[in-house]
Amino acid sequence: MAQSTGVFWTIHLDAPLATKSDRVGVKAAYLARAGQHDLPVLPGFVVPVQCAADSAVYRNTGELRAAWARLSHNGQRPVVVRSSPIQKDGARPPGAGRFGPVPGVREWPGFLGAVKSVEASADGPGTMAVLVQPRLDAVTSGVMLGAGPLDGRTDRVIVSAVEGGPQALAGGEVGGTRYVLTHWGRAVDAAGDRIHDEHSLLSRHQLRSLARLASRASHVFGGPQDIEFAFDRDERLWVLQILP
């Protein structure tokens, strides 16, 4: 962990401390753990809970600006600023829509304002960190459930996908295209028969990639995971969020 001479500091997602949810929040900690086990996670850094709760950090923003400059290529690459709340009292980790992200931030003043805005949405001091990652130009995206939402069945993977980014799907504005996959990535119907759809939103290769990702995530975390994902213009698969 790099630490500045002032009170402000950041934790990069590839650092050992990034897996500590009491420092970086649950959302960032799960992404860091996934990335450190070679799951496809975008790079990024976190304004940790201890700093996000302290308004004095803005007296010295040198380290934050350096981290932003590296990640954004000095503002040439837009970034997304979002919350990473702390899990409390054994509750399920907070989901994607609790604090709205600030997408597409380029300039330094706008970035600093976005960090402050996200911090201001916290329930109270010490309840939230701030996660910063590059904005992904998603062609298709969606949510994948590692177990059936009603029956808990783990021999199927449930996928809902949309064109573009996942915001509308995560917010419940659209339902998306639904797939039920075997662990080999075959789309099947309720009876378990294979479905052939030449005009499917996701290709067979993409469906197989999702099934492999679900299997790898289950192995890393010790059980089925809910994953928010996206495919970029090169059809590369990325994990945007992962929760048990």
Side-chain angles (χ1 to χ4, degrees):
M1 177 187 68
Q3 192 161 353
S4 68
T5 56
V7 293
F8 199 93
W9 44 287
T10 58
I11 300 176
H12 292 266
L13 288 181
D14 58 358
L17 273 180
T19 62
K20 307 297 184 182
S21 61
D22 62 333
R23 297 290 188 94
V24 303
V26 174
K27 187 184 301 181
Y30 271 75
L31 282 175
R33 185 176 173 187
Q36 292 174 26
H37 283 83
D38 297 322
L39 298 184
V41 174
L42 292 163
F45 64 88
V46 181
V47 180
V49 173
Q50 292 76 7
C51 288
D54 184 359
S55 60
V57 298
Y58 295 110
R59 297 173 186 170
N60 183 347
T61 57
E63 183 178 334
L64 177 63
R65 185 160 189 165
W68 164 81
R70 286 193 299 270
L71 188 65
S72 70
H73 303 163
N74 287 312
Q76 296 181 35
R77 185 180 189 183
V79 298
V80 177
V81 182
R82 54 184 176 145
S83 64
S84 182
I86 299 299
Q87 180 180 3
K88 289 191 173 183
D89 301 325
R92 188 182 188 277
R98 186 174 178 186
F99 302 105
V102 183
V105 181
R106 286 185 179 271
E107 303 297 331
W108 164 249
F111 169 72
L112 187 58
V115 171
K116 292 181 179 181
S117 295
V118 171
E119 288 175 354
S121 70
D123 289 337
T127 63
M128 192 177 72
V130 179
L131 172 62
V132 183
Q133 292 179 287
R135 187 186 71 185
L136 183 67
D137 188 11
V139 175
T140 53
S141 60
V143 175
M144 176 168 60
L145 308 181
L150 299 178
D151 56 12
R153 187 172 174 176
T154 59
D155 62 339
R156 295 287 187 266
V157 176
I158 312 300
V159 175
S160 295
V162 294
E163 293 182 347
Q167 293 83 3
L169 183 63
E173 300 170 24
V174 296
T177 301
R178 187 175 185 271
Y179 301 88
V180 178
L181 307 179
T182 68
H183 285 310
W184 292 274
R186 295 177 179 175
V188 296
D189 60 20
D193 296 325
R194 186 170 182 175
I195 297 174
H196 300 274
D197 185 356
E198 296 180 357
H199 303 289
S200 172
L201 177 63
L202 298 177
S203 68
R204 292 182 183 179
H205 172 72
Q206 289 173 321
L207 294 176
R208 287 194 295 268
S209 296
L210 286 171
R212 285 194 296 268
L213 173 61
S215 178
R216 292 173 62 195
S218 180
H219 177 75
V220 168
F221 290 96
Q225 303 296 302
D226 294 351
I227 300 174
E228 187 177 301
F229 67 87
F231 288 95
D232 64 19
R233 295 193 179 279
D234 296 321
E235 293 196 4
R236 184 172 180 181
L237 173 61
W238 295 97
V239 174
L240 304 181
Q241 181 164 291
I242 183 166
L243 295 170

